[in-house]
Amino acid sequence: QVQLVESGGELVQAGGSLRLSCVASGLPSSTNSYTMAWFRQAPGKEREFVAAIRNPTNTYYATSVKGRFAISRDNAQNMVYLQMNSLKFEDTAVYYCTVGRPIVSSITSVDAYYHWGQGTQVTVSS
């Protein structure tokens, strides 16, 4: 019933930019009651936290992307975005959007989220 659909992943050169989008549907509660977040998973590695946004404006970023990525949301359209600038080869991964209701101390934990999209591939070439 719940669906999260990511889009925007592409092949891009190092130093370039991409904007990922995610639209949610079928959530049992209002969109503004959830923390929305992005995680990523590279081949052979664990899924890792990238960015999160609580309603209305509180944002959180992994150290590796702070200053380069920006997360935003549009509650009226049930969407969350990830603007990625100054991309590096090590940003290559499948990017997943997700929702949950974590406390702040757990906001970077994959276990704190319970609805996930299928992911969109981002590939950064050197």
Side-chain angles (χ1 to χ4, degrees):
Q1 185 176 354
V2 175
Q3 284 192 301
L4 298 172
V5 182
E6 304 94 338
S7 62
E10 296 179 0
L11 172 65
V12 63
Q13 292 186 2
S17 298
L18 284 175
R19 185 178 69 254
L20 305 184
S21 300
C22 174
V23 60
S25 63
L27 291 172
S29 301
S30 297
T31 302
N32 62 10
S33 71
Y34 296 93
T35 294
M36 308 184 79
W38 291 92
F39 285 71
R40 66 187 181 187
Q41 188 166 20
K45 297 184 178 180
E46 297 292 315
R47 192 167 298 188
E48 67 174 359
F49 173 78
V50 177
I53 182 167
R54 296 171 65 90
N55 197 72
T57 59
N58 303 85
T59 58
Y60 306 83
Y61 296 95
T63 301
S64 60
V65 306
K66 190 173 184 179
R68 299 189 297 121
F69 292 8
I71 188 171
S72 60
R73 65 192 292 165
D74 184 338
N75 292 328
Q77 295 187 325
N78 304 312
M79 297 192 72
V80 61
Y81 305 91
L82 185 68
Q83 178 67 46
M84 304 185 294
N85 299 321
S86 302
L87 283 162
K88 304 175 180 178
F89 175 77
E90 49 265 43
D91 294 318
T92 296
V94 177
Y95 284 70
Y96 299 89
C97 75
T98 185
V99 301
R101 290 194 178 99
I103 59 175
V104 172
S105 62
S106 298
I107 204 163
T108 64
S109 174
V110 68
D111 295 328
Y113 299 87
Y114 39 78
H115 297 303
W116 295 84
Q118 294 300 305
T120 185
Q121 176 71 52
V122 172
T123 303
V124 183
S125 63
S126 300

